[in-house]
Amino acid sequence: MSVIEVRRRVRQLHGAETRAAWLLVIPFLVVFLAMFVAPLAYSAYLSLFSSQLVGGEIFTGLGNYARALQDPSFWGGLGRVALFLFIQVPIMLAAAIFFALAIDSRRVRGGRLVRLLVFIPYAVPSVVATLMWGYLYGTDFGLITQIFKAVGLTSPNLLSPGNVLGSTMNIVCWEFIGYNMIILYAALRSIPEELYEAAEIDGASQLRIAWSIKLPAIRQAILLTVIFSIIGSFQLFNEPNLLFNIAPNAIGTDFTPNLYAFNVAFKNQEINYAAAIAFLLGIVIMIVSFVVQRATNRTEDES
């Protein structure tokens, strides 16, 4: 076989592989363009217009974005989400790390059962979880109120304006500690056992092994859970939306930016303005996630 024939067959083989690859990728690309890119582009298009009684749809450019940046309801919701992020996320991730390390240490009896019990709340739909906790928080017939009354104490109003944000944090922690624990536990299981054996031979305790070996080894997994938690915090919607029906005096229609955009779009019928709020929220999420990732990578480089 000549060199020219070999090259021709190689080109034919590459061509067949390329066509097969495109045949496999095209269905995904079609769905991705139709279900993600097209709605996103249409939302961006809508955000550049305003609907008026006289004149219909009018092009306003960045007018909706400027209005959102001057809207106290948008900034108020963003502030509550930021407070939620700085308080709830560290507590949730600290608990997830603790459970992951405890189960991985194999010093916990019934480790598989504990892992299942911690993960089960994530399998409960957020709607069901919020309704369940809303009943527990109830000031009249809630379980927490009944327990306080049974011991002769005055029960706190966990659905008051001052406490409802903390109550929401508790619900989200209950839902997602198990999810983050599974990610961290999977990363811990990928660490070679030889490192632990060598450390134990040197006399290192389990606490020292966790601090000096395990946590540095799963730093990327921790960063992943942090970014997921940041995105989830800014997308907070189900919990406050359901608690609004239980405690409308404690949660307003602008409790979070997502809830505010929803009410602006479907109750106020301001689709264009809601699209602008959604895009601004997406920009904030990208900036915060990028800053966290850059700060983490810089810390790793310095160490």
Side-chain angles (χ1 to χ4, degrees):
M1 184 181 296
S2 64
V3 176
I4 297 176
E5 291 178 350
V6 171
R7 290 179 177 175
R8 183 168 58 250
R9 291 193 176 184
V10 170
R11 286 195 297 268
Q12 291 175 351
L13 180 61
H14 284 313
E17 291 177 348
T18 302
R19 287 191 295 272
W22 275 109
L23 287 175
L24 294 173
V25 171
I26 283 176
F28 165 76
L29 291 177
V30 171
V31 174
F32 180 75
L33 291 172
M35 301 297 176
F36 182 77
V37 177
L40 199 64
Y42 183 61
S43 298
Y45 170 79
L46 287 178
S47 69
L48 301 177
F49 290 82
S50 292
S51 181
Q52 299 182 1
L53 293 177
V54 179
E57 295 287 333
I58 298 177
F59 179 77
T60 56
L62 300 178
N64 287 321
Y65 294 92
R67 176 186 170 188
L69 291 175
Q70 298 173 355
D71 190 344
S73 294
F74 174 73
W75 286 109
L78 204 60
R80 278 183 288 272
V81 166
L83 184 62
F84 182 94
L85 173 65
F86 285 112
I87 296 177
Q88 184 269 339
V89 170
I91 295 174
M92 177 182 65
L93 294 184
I97 292 172
F98 171 78
F99 283 117
L101 291 174
I103 296 172
D104 185 68
S105 68
R106 300 178 184 176
R107 301 297 176 91
V108 178
R109 293 184 179 181
R112 293 183 178 179
L113 178 61
V114 173
R115 184 174 59 195
L116 179 62
L117 291 176
V118 176
F119 182 74
I120 279 178
Y122 176 71
V124 178
S126 60
V127 173
V128 176
T130 305
L131 292 175
M132 179 188 70
W133 279 100
Y135 164 74
L136 294 176
Y137 292 149
T139 56
D140 295 326
F141 304 104
L143 179 60
I144 297 175
T145 299
Q146 293 178 20
I147 292 174
F148 272 83
K149 288 182 178 180
V151 296
L153 298 176
T154 302
S155 62
N157 184 3
L158 298 176
L159 293 177
S160 65
N163 295 328
V164 71
L165 183 61
S167 300
T168 306
M169 292 178 187
N170 177 65
I171 297 173
V172 176
C173 281
W174 185 83
E175 289 176 315
F176 288 98
I177 284 176
Y179 170 78
N180 291 292
M181 180 207 67
I182 290 297
I183 294 177
L184 299 173
Y185 178 73
L188 286 170
R189 299 304 298 161
S190 66
I191 302 174
E193 294 285 343
E194 292 79 6
L195 294 177
Y196 304 152
E197 295 174 358
E200 289 177 354
I201 292 174
D202 291 338
S205 63
Q206 288 295 321
L207 183 60
R208 185 64 179 176
I209 291 173
W211 182 261
S212 300
I213 297 177
K214 293 184 178 181
L215 290 180
I218 63 171
R219 187 173 296 172
Q220 290 300 320
I222 295 175
L223 175 61
L224 181 65
T225 58
V226 169
I227 292 176
F228 282 170
S229 300
I230 290 172
I231 295 172
S233 297
F234 281 103
Q235 292 180 342
L236 190 64
F237 175 78
N238 281 338
E239 291 79 8
N241 186 41
L242 291 169
L243 289 178
F244 172 76
N245 297 320
I246 301 173
N249 296 326
I251 293 182
T253 57
D254 57 352
F255 190 75
T256 66
N258 252 359
L259 183 62
Y260 182 49
F262 173 82
N263 286 301
V264 166
F266 296 102
K267 291 185 178 180
N268 299 350
Q269 297 297 314
E270 295 184 78
I271 303 296
N272 309 93
Y273 184 45
I277 293 174
F279 266 91
L280 279 179
L281 183 60
I283 293 171
V284 171
I285 293 173
M286 287 189 293
I287 292 174
V288 174
S289 301
F290 176 77
V291 170
V292 170
Q293 188 170 5
R294 288 284 295 177
T296 304
N297 292 336
R298 185 177 303 170
T299 303
E300 289 183 356
D301 294 339
E302 290 176 355
S303 60

